[in-house]
Amino acid sequence: PLTVDSPRGTPFSAHMEGRVSDGILFSTVRASGHSVTRSQDLVDASAESYVKLTLQLSGTGVLTQDDRTALLSPGDIVLYDTSRPYTLAFADDLAAVVVMFPHRMINIDATILRGLTAVRIPGDQGFARAVGHFLAGLASALPTLDEATGVQVTHNTMDLIATMVGQELRDAPWSDPHAELMFR
């Protein structure tokens, strides 16, 4: 659950398409400018925690979580955790691919993953660029796949995401040496 607000009292409009495959939600979002907030009350009322990955396709956005802010441009990727409050703000129209999955699907300790939430992963370089291109293509293809193929693609996608996250964690400056040692 989220609360949605439109800037300057303008009407909010959105179109979402998606598919749940093996407990993982893949969706494409196209929306007018807005902000979403996941408050502590909404976190407390939720039964399960998820990690969300957003690939910004068009427009710009700002994600704030854990006292960090990520400025997102087209191609950028960001992770956030539904077990803690966050806000997302988009001044203008946007398009994005969102992958929402249970923590257990990424096989990285939640306290270690916390070091990467609300951190912009540039989508114009390295492995993140390849993952971004793959996710952008997958968003339109996934609804056309049969169930068995969809599940296999879902697991392959999670492997790619986990690999990208692992690489980002290896390359990230660590503020907590104990967390870095635990990750290694």
Side-chain angles (χ1 to χ4, degrees), residues 1-2 5 17 24 35 46 67 72 83 112 134 157 170 175:
L2 303 166
D5 292 306
E17 291 181 313
I24 298 166
S35 64
S46 298
D67 297 322
L72 305 172
S83 69
I112 293 171
F134 174 78
T157 302
R170 277 188 292 284
S175 59

Side-chain angles (χ1 to χ4, degrees), residues 92-138:
D92 298 308
D93 293 355
L94 74 119
V97 172
V98 179
V99 182
M100 185 171 82
F101 49 91
H103 278 254
R104 61 183 157 65
M105 294 298 292
I106 199 159
N107 200 24
I108 295 173
D109 185 85
T111 57
I112 293 171
L113 186 61
R114 186 179 193 136
L116 200 54
T117 55
V119 172
R120 176 184 164 265
I121 301 172
D124 60 353
Q125 56 194 354
F127 189 61
R129 180 178 180 175
V131 172
H133 285 292
F134 174 78
L135 290 174
L138 179 65

Side-chain angles (χ1 to χ4, degrees), residues 2-183:
L2 303 166
T3 58
V4 179
D5 292 306
S6 294
R8 302 172 302 279
T10 59
F12 172 68
S13 65
H15 178 79
M16 285 183 66
E17 291 181 313
R19 177 176 180 171
V20 175
S21 178
D22 203 22
I24 298 166
L25 170 67
F26 294 89
S27 60
T28 302
V29 179
R30 298 186 193 295
S32 59
H34 67 284
S35 64
V36 295
T37 302
R38 183 155 168 87
S39 66
Q40 187 63 54
D41 290 341
L42 294 174
V43 169
D44 292 343
S46 298
E48 186 170 0
S49 298
Y50 294 89
V51 175
K52 291 177 105 175
L53 175 149
T54 293
L55 165 65
Q56 193 78 19
L57 296 175
S58 67
T60 59
V62 178
L63 169 69
T64 303
Q65 186 173 50
D66 299 328
D67 297 322
R68 282 191 298 274
T69 299
L71 305 175
L72 305 172
S73 297
D76 290 342
I77 296 172
V78 69
L79 298 168
Y80 42 112
D81 187 333
T82 68
S83 69
R84 298 187 308 283
Y86 64 85
T87 60
L88 271 163
F90 306 96
D92 298 308
D93 293 355
L94 74 119
V97 172
V98 179
V99 182
M100 185 171 82
F101 49 91
H103 278 254
R104 61 183 157 65
M105 294 298 292
I106 199 159
N107 200 24
I108 295 173
D109 185 85
T111 57
I112 293 171
L113 186 61
R114 186 179 193 136
L116 200 54
T117 55
V119 172
R120 176 184 164 265
I121 301 172
D124 60 353
Q125 56 194 354
F127 189 61
R129 180 178 180 175
V131 172
H133 285 292
F134 174 78
L135 290 174
L138 179 65
S140 61
L142 194 61
T144 68
L145 302 177
D146 63 70
E147 184 66 26
T149 304
V151 169
Q152 185 174 8
V153 168
T154 296
H155 287 267
N156 293 337
T157 302
M158 290 310 303
D159 287 343
L160 287 173
I161 290 171
T163 300
M164 180 191 69
V165 168
Q167 179 185 17
E168 292 297 321
L169 286 168
R170 277 188 292 284
D171 295 345
W174 289 84
S175 59
D176 179 354
H178 296 344
E180 180 180 14
L181 182 60
M182 189 172 167
F183 173 72

